[in-house]
Each structure stands twice: as structure tokens, then as C-alpha cells.
Amino acid sequence: MAENLANVLHEQLSEGFPDTHRNNSGEGADRRRVVEGADQELNGQPPSARPSQRLESEEDEDEELTLKYGAKHVIMLFVPVTLCMVVVVATIKSVSFYTQKDGQLIYTPFPEDTETVGQRALNSILNAAIMISVIIVMTLLLVVLYKYRCYKVIHGWLIISSLLLLFFFSFIYLGEVFKTYNVGMDYITLALIIWNFGVVGMICIHWKGPLHLQQAYLIMISALMALVFIKYLPEWTAWLILAVISVYDLVAVLCPKGPLRMLVETAQERNEPIFPALIYSSTMVWLVNMADTDAESRKKPPLNSTMPESQAAPSQSAQGPDDGGFTSDWELRQQETLGHMESSEETRRQVQEMPSARPPAIQSDDSEERGVKLGLGDFIFYSVLVGKASATASGDWNTTLACFVAILIGLCLTLLLLAIFKKALPALPISITFGLVFYFATDNLVRPFMDQLALHQFYI
Amino acid sequence: MTVAVFFGCSFIAFGPAFALFIFTIARDPLRVIILIAGAFFWLLSLLLSSLVWFIAMKASNDKDQQLQRGLLIFGVMFSVLLQEVFRFAYYKLLRKASDGLAALSEDERSHISVQQMAYVAGLGFGIMSGAFSMINILADSLGPGIVGIHGESQYFFLTSAFMTMAVTLLHTFWGVVFFDGCENRRWWVIAVVVALHLLVSGLTFLNPIYEGSLPPAYVILVSMAVWAFFSCGGSLQNIQQFLTCWKNDAGSEVAS
């Protein structure tokens, strides 16, 4: 494992692909995650596109550079995951609304306050089974829609769920926060706040916006979604769902006929960009000049982010006859500051292959642009685990802290495996397994020990 | 208990560790990863030792207070030993990783030295140990209650905070010295570190007679600080140069 620890710093960044999107009309969308290795998207392309002709020395230089920045990518994911968990835990601890039992979702119809333990176990198993089937059905629906190119339906679905999260759930959240802190608020101000919050969120997530703002919004909607799950899922059901969903994630991404894998491969074959609003990304590419004659590129949702340095793109991109009014010296200036901007086949493929696209001449500042991607579903389920731990554990903060560290280490290991295998990997299994093990172990074993120690003021 | 107690105790307990984190670790992603992995290893050791204690406790008579206290003491000692075992295991892991990194980099050197890794690993252990000891107490200090109303010490929170700070910093220094001992194959160093850890934990058995536990812990802390400083290459000359450089060129950066 130690050699692999060294290998993690080899890691190319991962190109995420659309995750399954479960739409619950009651709660908005779930996002799942696929992390893809660097070379994977090349597999779908003709062999001539493979960089296997790279020389050995260039590969070593590659590894040297990725070595330096591999750890950076792990931190780029640690920070948002930590922020999401902090928001969820802070809310759970202060706003009592999210720990009150106000009924259950229609997806988990069986109640858990039964007389016998056996009955409760049975109910929770049935609840988990129903929830997982709903998730599987939604995933398959998404894959089918994607395969048959019903992009409009998918985009509509995404937009409706984002609307629900950004307006309705944040309205409820704000209302509960005001109740907790006894803040008086009139409806007009509230409407203005929610309207602005929601509209800016929709713009940032689905169109263009500053990178950090977009990341902040994605973290916020993940936290809102996680809070909804924490509130409406009863205890045993929640733990069972977490366990089963990690298994499902593993199967769906790694099995040859798994829905997520098919989704990934289809997207690869078509060489299409990712859906916005399903994936958190730490850097993305901003293509300013979309005045391309290729009609298909206009249909695709525009990617949004900034390219800090010039992309190491050889200027052999084919420019369309219509340059959209951008004169050649304007473009030259832009190229110097921002880098290549034409949305040609070359740059689009480079966007797609951003992690691994390296021309023979290694640019030392190339790695600055590379980022990592993590699906929002992973954010949500990590936060559900930590939130549930803080809500229900009697060991309180120790359990929360233990689950937090366990999830971060699981994420680290997942990225390590990604660097080794360089293919699509599920992010849930390792982290959730560690999280669950540490939750139950800390709650039942460590808590009594630490309580006794604190009582006598013994220190270990 | 008041918010002032909460903030005061949390700053006492976690201030130095937090400052160390912000100024030396937060900028470098590799160090952050090593820190969190160190915390994870400490957590694993705690888990295993709690398991052992739990089994021993369940297998014994619940009502016998003396026996339970004895079992707790045994649990503490076992936990200390297990922590040191895991520190050694972490050293082995980091060594292998560092060798791997060095082999792959151009100039056959690792980007991070063993001393830096030792410091970060020790701090990881310390932060996690301090957090687990102190966080629940801090959370309780925000709630209602009166300390020591049944005749116990009034200074429960304050002494806990000071002890936590001492233990956090001690773990850091033990990490440095321990790794140095492993690197240079000086096994007596490791034995001394283990013995000191057992001593500090053992002294806490004297609580609530805080004179027996806190001052010795701080004496050991200062001596460990000095030892760690000298073991990773510091010297009186360095300190002198540091101070005089600073006085001479107020504007330029201090080379250490």
C-alpha cells in the first residue's frame, strides 16, 4: 500500500461523467458519482488518438509533474467535502427542525417505531429495498434517455430539480434558521432574498458563473439535499440505505453491464461534455468563442470556468469560416492571456481529455489547470453519514469526528486507487464503509471508554 | 457554564495546535494528507484499545468499583502501548511512501523530509488525541451546570484544557523524536518515548490532585521540546543566528 501511496501522487486528474440522476418529485435530484481515470476517455477513440507513442522520458516527466500536484487534487476535494459536512453538522446541531420526526417520505413507507426489534428490522429492510429500487429505476431511466439522445428531457429534469432545491428547500431552511434564532422577517425581504439566491444559483450552475460561486452553490444544494435525507429517513433505514447504496455504486460502475458504466461509455463514444449541475469540479474550461459552425456544439450546455494559463494546445485547431466578429488580432491577444478559445474539435477533445491531454512538449504550468471532479451524490451521502452520526449518536462529537476522518481517508484511498487503475471508480464504497465501521465502533466501543476516561480525567 | 469558559478552554487546548496547522501545514497539500492519515492511525489505535477494554469490562463484575478502576488503568496503559505501536507502523508506511516518491522524482530526493513527516505525523496524533479528549467536555461547557457542586474540583475545565494542550504538543515532539530514533536505529530513544508516554498518562491517574499531574507533564513537555529541537538539527547557534538576523535586517526574510 505504501508504494501505492507514492503512486497516488502520480495521479492524473479524473474526468467525471454524468452520474445517475434520481428525480424525486418530493425532494429534488440525487446525484451519483463516477470518477474517471485520465486515460479512459481515450479508450473510446480510435487507436491513433492514444498517447501510447509518448516517449519514456516524457512519461517520467509527466509523473514528476503529477507527483507534485497529485496531493493538491486530493486537497481540492477535501476542502469542499469538509465544507459540506461542516454545514450539515452545524445545521443539525443548531436547528432542531432537522432532527424532529415529522413523518417519512413516500419512498420509505414502513414506520420504524414498532413494538419489536424484529419488526423494526424488517421494516427498515423493506424501506431500504424500496428506496434502492427507486434509485435503480431512475438510473436506468437516465441511461435510456441519454442513449436515445433525449437531451431536452434530461435538461428539463435537471432544471426542475435545481429549481426545487434552490427555491423551495432553501426557503424552508431559511425559515427554520430564523425560527431557531428568533429572527423576525417579513415576507417581502424573504422573497427578495430567496429570489436572488435562487436565480443566481440557477445561472451559476446551469450556465456561466464565477468558479467559486458555482462551487459554493453546489456545496449548498448538496447540503440541503443531505439535510432532507437526514430528516426524513428513520435511523436503521438510513444506515441500511447507505450500506446498500455503496454496494450498488460499486456494481453500477464496475460491472460491464452496469448502468453508470454504460452511461460513461456512451458519453465517451460521443465525446460529449458532462452535464452541468451533477458534478462538482475544481477547475473547468471556459470556451468563450462558441461561434462554431458545428451545430452540435451549440446544443451542448456551455462549460463554464476559467483557464488560468494558456492551454498547451498546439495551434492546429481548424477555425470555422465564420469567426463571429472576433478579429484575428483580438483573438491573438486573448490567446496570450486566456489561451485557446475556439471550440473546435481539437479544443473540445482537449477539454474532454483535459487530464491526460499532454502534447509532447511538457508545459510546467499545465498542471495548474487540471482539477478533479466529484459527483454531487457523493457529497450528499457523505454528509448524510456524518449528519446522521451527529444527530443520533450518543457519543456526540467523538463519533462525528471519527466519521469525518474516516470519510476523508476513504476519499484519499479512492483517489489513490484512481491513480493506479485510471478508470471510472465509484467514490462511495470505501468512504461509506469506513464511515459506517467507525460510526458503530466509536458509538459502541470508544464512547464508554472515553466517557470513563473523561470522568476520571485520565489521559491516554 | 459560560461562553467565556468555552472559548477560553478551547483556545487553551487547541490554540497552539491550530496555529501550528495554519502556519506550517495548511499550505502544503502533502502535509495535510499526512496529518489526516496520522489522525486516522491514532483513531485506529484507540478503536482497538477500546475494544480490548470493552471486552475486559463486559467480562468482569460490574459492581466492583475497584476492579473497574483497575481495568480502566489497564485500558489506559494498553492504549498507550498500542498508540506507540501504531506510531511505528505509520513510520514504516511513511518511509516506504517516501522511498517510492524519491525513486520517482528526478533528483532522487523526496519532496518532504523524514523530519517534516515526523513533525506532521506527531501533530496529527496530537490533534486527534486532544480533540477526542476535549471536544465533549467543551460541548458540555456550553450547557447549564455548576462545576464541582458535589465537592469535586472547580477547575475541571481549565485543567482539562491545559492537559489537552500538553498532550497535543507532547505527541508532536514524541513523533519527531520517535521517527528520528527509528531512522538512526537508536532503539533506546523509542523506549524512552514509550516510557515517557506511559509516565504522563500514569501521572493523570493522580487527578484530581492536579499538582501531581500538570506540572510534571509540563516539565516533560519542555524537555521534550528541547530534545526534539536538537534531534532534528537545531542548535544554539541556529537560535542565535535566527535572533541576530532578525534584529539586523528587519525587512528581509529570516533564513532558518
Side-chain angles (χ1 to χ4, degrees):
Chain A
M1 188 228 168
E3 295 83 48
N4 302 333
L5 184 60
N7 281 334
V8 74
L9 305 176
H10 272 236
E11 167 203 36
Q12 314 277 335
L13 66 94
S14 42
E15 186 73 71
F17 273 88
D19 302 326
T20 55
H21 176 113
R22 293 176 294 285
N23 188 16
N24 305 323
S25 52
E27 332 136 59
D30 263 1
R31 286 109 169 124
R32 301 283 320 293
R33 166 218 167 95
V34 160
V35 172
E36 209 173 38
D39 291 326
Q40 227 246 332
E41 56 272 24
L42 299 175
N43 294 336
Q45 285 163 9
S48 57
R50 293 189 63 91
S52 50
Q53 301 92 357
R54 265 196 246 159
L55 304 170
E56 272 305 312
S57 61
E58 284 161 1
E59 235 175 70
D60 287 343
E61 280 181 55
D62 271 354
E63 288 173 359
E64 157 89 50
L65 285 167
T66 56
L67 220 73
K68 276 165 77 180
Y69 295 101
K72 204 171 170 187
H73 299 156
V74 176
I75 300 302
M76 281 197 240
L77 282 184
F78 272 11
V79 172
V81 168
T82 307
L83 278 175
C84 191
M85 289 199 258
V86 162
V87 168
V88 168
V89 170
T91 309
I92 293 279
K93 286 292 181 190
S94 53
V95 179
S96 60
F97 172 73
Y98 289 103
T99 41
Q100 286 163 1
K101 286 272 141 234
D102 279 343
Q104 294 176 207
L105 300 169
I106 51 167
Y107 305 100
T108 55
F110 298 95
E112 268 197 25
D113 49 355
T114 56
E115 293 95 37
T116 65
V117 171
Q119 184 71 19
R120 186 177 184 186
L122 184 66
N123 280 359
S124 53
I125 291 174
L126 289 171
N127 280 339
I130 295 177
M131 190 71 158
I132 293 297
S133 344
V134 168
I135 288 172
I136 293 178
V137 163
M138 292 294 173
T139 314
L140 289 173
L141 191 61
L142 180 72
V143 173
V144 162
L145 284 174
Y146 190 68
K147 245 185 151 58
Y148 292 109
R149 299 178 185 265
C150 310
Y151 294 126
K152 285 209 175 355
V153 179
I154 297 180
H155 287 315
W157 189 358
L158 286 177
I159 287 181
I160 289 178
S161 64
S162 313
L163 275 172
L164 200 65
L165 274 172
L166 282 169
F167 287 95
F168 186 54
F169 287 138
S170 49
F171 167 66
I172 293 179
Y173 179 81
L174 213 54
E176 293 305 323
V177 169
F178 288 150
K179 274 189 219 167
T180 306
Y181 291 106
N182 209 13
V183 173
M185 175 70 68
D186 56 299
Y187 274 114
I188 300 177
T189 315
L190 188 66
L192 273 174
I193 294 174
I194 298 288
W195 172 254
N196 279 304
F197 179 79
V199 168
V200 175
M202 290 301 290
I203 292 176
C204 273
I205 295 174
H206 291 280
W207 194 49
K208 292 199 233 297
L211 180 66
H212 288 311
L213 195 60
Q214 187 200 31
Q215 291 172 338
Y217 269 105
L218 289 173
I219 292 175
M220 278 191 268
I221 61 177
S222 306
L224 283 173
M225 198 65 225
L227 284 168
V228 167
F229 275 141
I230 293 172
K231 179 176 171 64
Y232 288 110
L233 287 179
E235 255 196 76
W236 291 20
T237 311
W239 300 119
L240 266 176
I241 286 181
L242 279 172
V244 177
I245 217 167
S246 344
V247 174
Y248 167 68
D249 200 14
L250 198 63
V251 164
V253 173
L254 294 180
C255 285
K257 277 299 169 191
L260 289 180
R261 185 160 168 160
M262 289 199 315
L263 195 68
V264 159
E265 284 167 2
T266 318
Q268 263 182 286
E269 282 163 28
R270 299 182 193 168
N271 203 9
E272 278 173 355
I274 311 124
F275 294 122
L278 284 181
I279 307 247
Y280 173 96
S281 162
S282 55
T283 58
M284 285 201 285
V285 179
W286 187 32
L287 298 173
V288 168
N289 181 5
M290 296 290 278
D292 206 32
T293 49
D294 187 341
E296 208 191 59
S297 77
R298 283 202 207 95
K299 260 202 319 200
K300 296 184 196 125
L303 304 174
N304 53 320
S305 164
T306 53
M307 248 166 37
E309 292 94 345
S310 65
Q311 207 174 18
S315 42
Q316 64 217 49
S317 54
Q319 191 155 346
D322 170 25
D323 63 27
F326 294 94
T327 61
S328 52
D329 56 30
W330 180 89
E331 257 173 65
L332 214 58
R333 248 184 306 124
Q334 290 295 78
Q335 225 159 313
E336 279 158 28
T337 50
L338 286 181
H340 240 58
M341 287 189 308
E342 290 96 18
S343 170
S344 59
E345 276 304 315
E346 178 69 38
T347 54
R348 251 183 284 125
R349 193 176 305 133
Q350 281 193 351
V351 164
Q352 201 77 333
E353 306 171 5
M354 203 162 63
S356 62
R358 307 275 228 116
I362 306 295
Q363 318 283 321
S364 60
D365 53 3
D366 203 20
S367 355
E368 277 303 330
E369 309 161 8
R370 298 191 277 148
V372 273
K373 294 174 167 43
L374 184 65
L376 289 193
D378 300 314
F379 276 88
I380 292 174
F381 283 108
Y382 293 161
S383 308
V384 165
L385 193 147
V386 175
K388 264 294 188 208
S390 72
T392 60
S394 38
D396 252 359
W397 292 94
N398 282 348
T399 319
T400 312
L401 201 55
C403 290
F404 168 71
V405 171
I407 286 181
L408 286 186
I409 293 292
L411 188 60
C412 199
L413 284 174
T414 308
L415 291 171
L416 188 95
L417 286 177
L418 179 74
I420 297 169
F421 291 111
K422 295 196 191 337
K423 54 184 275 209
L425 283 184
L428 282 182
I430 301 181
S431 288
I432 298 285
T433 311
F434 276 8
L436 286 175
V437 165
F438 273 81
Y439 170 74
F440 287 110
T442 312
D443 202 29
N444 297 313
L445 298 175
V446 176
R447 183 185 48 87
F449 188 47
M450 294 309 291
D451 279 350
Q452 285 295 308
L453 290 181
L455 188 65
H456 293 104
Q457 269 191 309
F458 292 171
Y459 277 80
I460 54 170
Chain B
M1 294 138 284
T2 61
V3 172
V5 167
F6 169 75
F7 278 112
C9 287
S10 53
F11 290 150
I12 290 175
F14 297 119
F18 189 59
L20 285 173
F21 175 76
I22 294 281
F23 290 122
T24 59
I25 293 184
R27 293 285 167 94
D28 188 354
L30 191 54
R31 291 184 196 173
V32 175
I33 295 175
I34 295 179
L35 183 89
I36 301 210
F40 181 71
F41 269 73
W42 187 89
L43 200 59
L44 276 178
S45 80
L46 177 68
L47 215 76
L48 287 177
S49 47
S50 329
L51 178 66
V52 167
W53 173 81
F54 192 79
I55 293 173
M57 190 196 67
K58 284 296 177 193
S60 67
N61 182 10
D62 247 0
K63 306 286 180 278
D64 189 353
Q65 290 294 337
Q66 280 296 90
L67 180 63
Q68 292 302 317
R69 192 185 158 90
L71 274 179
L72 197 61
I73 290 178
F74 160 72
V76 168
M77 294 287 132
F78 185 72
S79 175
V80 166
L81 290 172
L82 212 55
Q83 279 176 52
E84 298 303 325
V85 167
F86 270 79
R87 205 198 295 273
F88 184 71
Y90 195 39
Y91 163 75
K92 280 283 177 212
L93 179 70
L94 283 178
R95 205 68 189 85
K96 267 200 183 168
S98 168
D99 288 341
L101 283 177
L104 290 161
S105 75
E106 243 176 19
D107 47 2
E108 295 292 320
R109 274 188 307 110
S110 168
H111 290 278
I112 185 169
S113 70
V114 177
Q115 285 97 343
Q116 285 174 1
M117 286 197 296
Y119 158 69
V120 175
L123 190 60
F125 267 58
I127 288 181
M128 205 58 181
S129 169
F132 260 66
S133 308
M134 196 64 193
I135 292 254
N136 273 335
I137 296 176
L138 284 176
D140 285 340
S141 77
L142 278 174
I146 300 176
V147 190
I149 195 169
H150 288 296
E152 296 101 2
S153 164
Q154 282 180 31
Y155 302 111
F156 183 80
F157 289 124
L158 213 53
T159 51
S160 297
F162 276 108
M163 196 63 200
T164 305
M165 172 174 76
V167 164
T168 306
L169 291 176
L170 273 170
H171 269 290
T172 314
F173 300 137
W174 282 330
V176 172
V177 170
F178 190 97
F179 278 40
D180 182 60
C182 289
E183 272 294 284
N184 301 325
R185 303 249 172 277
R186 292 196 217 124
W187 308 115
W188 62 271
V189 165
I190 297 178
V192 169
V193 165
V194 174
L196 280 177
H197 194 170
L198 282 170
L199 180 64
V200 170
S201 286
L203 283 172
T204 61
F205 297 151
L206 294 172
N207 284 337
I209 308 174
Y210 297 121
E211 297 83 352
S213 66
L214 273 179
Y218 272 85
V219 164
I220 294 178
L221 173 67
V222 169
S223 50
M224 281 307 307
V226 169
W227 187 4
F229 180 69
F230 283 112
S231 86
C232 60
S235 64
L236 288 172
Q237 215 180 12
N238 279 356
I239 303 181
Q240 216 174 19
Q241 278 177 351
F242 170 74
L243 291 171
T244 53
C245 272
W246 199 29
K247 280 186 194 146
N248 280 342
D249 311 303
S252 66
E253 278 201 22
V254 177
S256 58

